């Protein structure tokens, strides 16, 4: 599907973004492991999270949907059953990585696979520590890529230093640890999103976390919860940047999760000179939530590296758009993980923004952007089948001269199926 986006007049109004993808996946998986009926309100109905629901159903879990609320009949930590066929994780890295950790300790055989993009994503980072715990996992290309064949076993605890800042890896190991014979201690390199730790603690798991260390003791049954999923800051990011870069704009984005391990984008946009106010801050089911008011301003360049990177890893493609209109040279380093996302996001963002006139240079672990709003022009571009690339290009198009044709626009349905209609609701073609 192709979408045509034209230079926009000022963006005005109030909007809600898609519910949080990371929390939605976890709410379904963790509720399936609790004993009793769990409820998930404001669940994200998008391709990735529906892949998780399909997999959990095949593992014997009943998931009902009533008025956009999920009701999940949890069967306890040992209550899953052997799936009769391959578990299809679609495009979802979170599904395949979290389930590999979970299934490694279940007393049955299972196979996890996905689409072409998912089956090219690295799994050694998960398979290696799980194997050290005693797991029996085989994968394609010297145990590197999906499909994964798992023969579940009783696992032992591990004391492990994670070589990459990855919440998917951390969560896979935490899930394995819940069912292991003894204690597990994980040490993170840099802090990655901590929804797993927060949600499992709320469910009664014996899990303690300090800044970079997590300790899990196994054997405690989880209590079902009523989860309320906030809006996804990674989806709000597109509108934060849109309002910041389209002159005269003012948007109020309501009900957004601002967990500090996810909110790096707010800090960075503020450092670039964006006008952002976080209002109506509240706590909901262990997660900070707020409304975010953002209006346009002149942006200045920024250099990103180090501990901030995992706290805005999914927002870097759209931050490249903000950098393209900022005054001066911006850079992103230490973000080599972008090369192993749904597509190689360093290559994709560099080639597609270059087609729109942006001066952007690829680095091994990031990119350098020479900001100049006058260079941005509409052109045919492509999402590379990646939801966040499609949405980032749409935001660049709002500020580009002429019209931008975005190929592969259907990719947004992975995380934000309502993106195109939400965008239409707040934009107007510039006169
Ligand atoms: C996610 C973790 C991040 C992120 C992904 C969702 C999660 O991936 O990019 O979109 O829900 O745990 P990594 O763990 O690979 O950094």
């Amino acid at each position: 599907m192709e979408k045509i986006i034209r230079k926009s007049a000022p963006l005005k109004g109030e909007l809600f973004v898609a519910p949080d993808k990371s929390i939605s996946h976890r709410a379904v998986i963790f509720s399936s492991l609790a004993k009793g009926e769990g409820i998930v309100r404001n669940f994200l109905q998008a391709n990735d999270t529906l892949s998780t629901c399909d997999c959990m159903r095949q593992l014997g879990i009943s998931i009902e949907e009533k008025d956009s609320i999920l009701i999940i009949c949890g069967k306890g930590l040992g209550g899953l059953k052997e799936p009769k066929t391959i578990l299809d994780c679609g495009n979802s890295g979170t599904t395949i990585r979290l389930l590999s950790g979970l299934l490694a300790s279940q007393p049955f055989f299972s196979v996890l696979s996905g689409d072409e993009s998912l089956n090219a994503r690295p799994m050694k980072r998960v398979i290696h520590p799980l194997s050290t715990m005693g797991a029996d996992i085989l994968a394609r290309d010297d145990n590197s890529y999906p499909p994964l064949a798992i023969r579940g076993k009783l696992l032992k605890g591990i004391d492990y230093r994670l070589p990459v800042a990855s919440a998917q890896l951390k969560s896979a190991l935490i899930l394995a640890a819940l069912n292991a014979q003894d204690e597990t201690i994980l040490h993170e390199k840099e802090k990655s999103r901590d929804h797993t730790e927060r949600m499992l603690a709320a469910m009664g798991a014996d899990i303690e976390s300090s800044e970079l260390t997590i300790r899990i003791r196994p054997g405690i049954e989880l209590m079902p919860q009523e989860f309320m999923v906030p809006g996804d800051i990674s989806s709000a990011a597109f509108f934060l940047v849109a309002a910041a870069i389209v002159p005269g704009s003012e948007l109020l984005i309501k009900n957004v999760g601002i967990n500090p391990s996810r909110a790096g984008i707010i800090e960075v946009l503020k450092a670039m000179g964006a006008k952002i106010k976080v209002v109506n801050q509240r706590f909901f089911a262990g997660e900070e939530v707020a409304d975010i008011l953002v209006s346009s301003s002149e942006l200045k360049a920024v250099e990103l590296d180090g501990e901030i990177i995992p706290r805005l890893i999914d927002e870097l493609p759209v931050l490249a758009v903000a950098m393209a209109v900022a005054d001066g040279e911006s850079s992103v380093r230490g973000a080599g993980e972008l090369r192993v996302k749904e597509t190689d996001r360093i290559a994709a963002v560099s080639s597609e923004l270059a087609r729109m006139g942006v001066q952007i240079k690829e680095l091994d672990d990031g990119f350098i952007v020479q900001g100049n709003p006058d260079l941005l022009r509409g052109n045919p571009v492509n999402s590379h089948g990646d939801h966040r690339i499609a949405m980032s290009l749409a935001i660049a198009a709002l500020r580009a001269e002429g019209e931008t044709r975005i190929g592969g626009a259907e990719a947004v349905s992975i995380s934000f199926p309502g993106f195109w209609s939400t965008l239409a609701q707040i934009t107007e073609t510039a006169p």
Side-chain angles (χ1 to χ4, degrees):
M1 171 183 126
E2 186 180 80
K3 270 277 167 191
I4 300 177
I5 304 291
R6 296 183 180 86
K7 185 169 182 173
S8 179
L11 315 177
K12 297 276 181 199
E14 284 185 13
L15 63 138
F16 288 91
V17 294
D20 191 283
K21 181 158 84 68
S22 293
I23 297 177
S24 294
H25 282 297
R26 286 161 172 79
V28 170
I29 298 172
F30 302 165
S31 299
S32 303
L33 302 178
K35 259 212 161 114
E37 191 176 277
I39 307 256
V40 188
R41 294 184 189 275
N42 199 34
F43 174 74
L44 171 66
Q45 301 277 353
N47 290 0
D48 264 14
T49 42
L50 293 174
S51 293
T52 290
C53 289
D54 286 348
C55 291
M56 295 318 297
R57 286 193 175 107
Q58 283 198 57
L59 288 161
I61 300 297
S62 141
I63 304 175
E64 257 181 72
E65 197 206 318
K66 264 192 209 148
D67 309 326
S68 90
I69 296 171
L70 294 189
I71 303 166
I72 301 169
C73 271
K75 295 253 179 85
L77 282 175
L80 301 179
K81 71 169 192 355
E82 184 172 81
K84 291 204 174 79
T85 181
I86 290 174
L87 298 170
D88 183 0
C89 304
N91 191 245
S92 174
T94 306
T95 310
I96 200 164
R97 297 221 173 94
L98 268 60
L99 291 190
S100 60
L102 171 62
L103 295 173
S105 72
Q106 300 294 315
F108 52 72
F109 175 72
S110 51
V111 178
L112 293 163
S113 188
D115 67 10
E116 203 183 320
S117 149
L118 188 67
N119 284 359
R121 294 184 67 184
M123 291 301 295
K124 227 176 203 154
R125 55 182 64 189
V126 186
I127 297 174
H128 169 71
L130 288 174
S131 303
T132 312
M133 294 174 83
D136 183 356
I137 305 181
L138 285 176
R140 195 170 61 77
D141 199 1
D142 190 26
N143 276 352
S144 302
Y145 301 105
L148 260 57
I150 305 176
R151 185 162 295 285
K153 281 209 173 155
L154 190 57
L155 304 180
K156 42 187 196 297
I158 190 175
D159 187 329
Y160 187 67
R161 197 162 292 280
L162 277 64
V164 273
S166 159
Q168 292 176 354
L169 166 58
K170 171 174 66 174
S171 305
L173 298 179
I174 293 174
L175 282 167
L178 286 181
N179 243 346
Q181 282 167 299
D182 40 33
E183 179 180 271
T184 288
I185 304 175
L186 303 174
H187 310 272
E188 286 195 275
K189 212 173 140 185
E190 278 147 356
K191 173 99 174 165
S192 64
R193 66 193 66 191
D194 62 3
H195 306 300
T196 296
E197 297 90 304
R198 289 176 187 236
M199 293 167 80
L200 288 177
M203 298 175 85
D206 192 347
I207 179 165
E208 282 164 34
S209 43
S210 56
E211 187 53 15
L212 293 174
T213 304
I214 303 123
R215 181 187 295 268
I216 310 105
R217 292 189 195 89
I220 308 251
E221 284 294 351
L222 303 176
M223 292 175 294
Q225 300 290 303
E226 186 167 328
F227 289 113
M228 169 62 112
V229 182
D232 197 326
I233 189 156
S234 298
S235 296
F238 301 105
F239 295 100
L240 289 173
V241 172
I245 69 169
V246 176
S249 299
E250 184 171 291
L251 289 179
L252 180 66
I253 312 174
K254 299 189 87 169
N255 191 39
V256 183
I258 53 159
N259 177 321
S261 65
R262 298 282 302 281
I265 175 120
I266 296 178
E267 289 164 44
V268 169
L269 284 175
K270 279 185 176 169
M272 294 178 82
K275 288 189 197 139
I276 296 185
K277 269 196 209 139
V278 176
V279 295
N280 193 16
Q281 217 161 317
R282 57 229 188 247
F283 254 94
F284 230 103
E287 293 279 351
E288 293 97 317
V289 180
D291 301 337
I292 308 179
L293 187 64
V294 50
S295 45
S296 64
S297 56
E298 296 291 319
L299 298 184
K300 53 180 189 286
V302 73
E303 291 182 356
L304 304 180
D305 195 359
E307 70 78 37
I308 188 100
I309 299 293
R311 296 195 292 117
L312 44 64
I313 189 76
D314 290 342
E315 291 67 76
L316 287 169
V318 77
L319 275 173
V321 175
M323 291 171 178
V325 304
D327 184 25
E329 180 180 292
S330 292
S331 63
V332 173
R333 291 188 167 82
E337 276 295 296
L338 286 181
R339 293 218 179 260
V340 291
K341 295 293 179 190
E342 285 81 333
T343 186
D344 175 344
R345 285 184 177 160
I346 294 179
V349 90
S350 303
S351 64
E352 300 309 313
L353 286 183
R355 285 193 199 186
M356 296 181 73
V358 177
Q359 293 187 329
I360 179 165
K361 181 170 166 259
E362 252 190 66
L363 304 174
D364 285 348
D365 62 347
F367 43 81
I368 296 178
V369 182
Q370 306 292 339
N372 184 350
D374 298 337
L375 296 180
L376 262 182
R377 56 174 193 275
N379 228 343
V381 287
N382 197 281
S383 73
H384 296 229
D386 184 318
H387 51 137
R388 300 202 198 282
I389 300 294
M391 294 185 272
S392 300
L393 294 171
I395 302 309
L398 299 176
R399 183 71 195 263
E401 275 316 316
E403 72 177 31
T404 302
R405 292 175 175 269
I406 305 173
E410 68 286 351
V412 305
S413 61
I414 288 295
S415 62
F416 195 169
F419 175 78
W420 297 115
S421 56
T422 306
L423 187 68
Q425 177 197 315
I426 51 140
T427 49
E428 214 177 277
T429 303

